[in-house]
């Protein structure tokens, strides 16, 4: 096995769809993403993580644009090209511009971020590096976010660190056409 071969291959598409129907009935997903088909090797984990995923991506009061910027930064810092590629698409749908997405690798010090985007990216970097936010970063975030949004931001960053660690460790391979990391200088 090479370093790029999956350690656990995605389950067959038909088996995945059967599992989805068994676990979620009318709420079953019909996609074929490698990540979902790899999670399917653990039906209990698939079932347990779905409500959190659905909440963070669709019901959280955290603005989608901010959420996607944070996820992209987590994926970059974790060197998880699969998650980065998936969230390039989702970030674009949430309103991130191609220039913003291309700037994510440069981090919070890059020119072009708003003051709040700089703070948001600092928050991701701090949690990634130290497992906590500094008082100045917390205070700056709290000027814009309420308590629920603050908690959800921490949860999104932690969730996507976990997803990135899983994807990287198992070597989940990108689907054809999935965006890759932007070129860096």
């Amino acid at each position: 096995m090479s370093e790029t071969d999956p350690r656990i291959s995605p389950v067959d598409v038909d088996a995945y769809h059967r599992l989805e129907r068994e676990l979620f009935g009318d709420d079953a997903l019909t996609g074929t993403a490698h990540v979902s088909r790899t999670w399917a090797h653990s039906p209990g984990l698939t079932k347990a993580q779905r409500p959190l995923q659905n909440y963070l991506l669709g019901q959280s009061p955290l603005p989608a644009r901010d959420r996607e910027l944070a996820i992209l930064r987590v994926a970059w810092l974790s060197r998880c090209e699969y998650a980065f590629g998936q969230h390039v698409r989702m970030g674009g749908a949430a309103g991130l511009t191609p220039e913003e997405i291309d700037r994510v690798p440069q981090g919070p010090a890059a020119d072009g971020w708003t003051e709040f985007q700089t703070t948001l990216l600092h928050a991701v970097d701090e949690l990634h590096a130290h497992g906590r936010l500094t008082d100045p970063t917390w205070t700056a975030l709290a000027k814009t976010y309420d308590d629920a949004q603050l908690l959800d931001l921490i949860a999104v960053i932690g969730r996507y660190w976990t997803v990135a660690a899983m994807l990287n460790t198992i070597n989940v391979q990108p689907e054809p056409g999935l965006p890759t990391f932007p070129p860096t200088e």
Side-chain angles (χ1 to χ4, degrees), residues 45-105:
L45 184 59
T46 296
K47 187 172 184 176
Q49 65 87 33
R50 181 74 53 83
L52 176 60
Q53 187 79 355
N54 288 344
Y55 171 77
L56 291 174
L57 295 181
Q59 300 161 349
S60 168
L62 194 64
R65 194 171 194 283
D66 296 353
R67 177 196 70 226
E68 291 302 319
L69 181 59
I71 292 170
L72 285 166
R73 185 66 179 162
V74 170
W76 173 260
L77 291 172
S78 301
R79 303 304 300 152
C80 185
E81 198 160 29
Y82 186 101
F84 195 93
Q86 289 288 359
H87 287 275
V88 162
R89 293 175 176 170
M90 295 173 77
L96 290 174
T97 67
E99 294 78 22
E100 288 172 319
I101 292 167
D102 286 347
R103 195 168 46 238
V104 166

Side-chain angles (χ1 to χ4, degrees), residues 2-44:
S2 76
E3 285 186 25
T4 59
D5 289 338
R7 289 179 170 165
I8 300 175
S9 294
V11 300
D12 171 82
V13 172
D14 291 335
Y16 170 68
H17 288 156
R18 281 192 301 278
L19 176 66
E20 278 285 323
R21 286 190 300 276
E22 178 184 315
L23 294 176
F24 303 109
D26 291 341
D27 294 327
L29 299 178
T30 58
T32 59
H34 293 173
V35 62
S36 301
R37 291 176 37 225
T38 301
W39 281 86
H41 283 282
S42 177

Side-chain angles (χ1 to χ4, degrees), residues 109-121:
D111 290 335
W113 298 123
T114 66
E115 184 178 342
F116 185 75
Q117 287 173 322
T118 298
T119 299
L120 183 68
L121 293 167

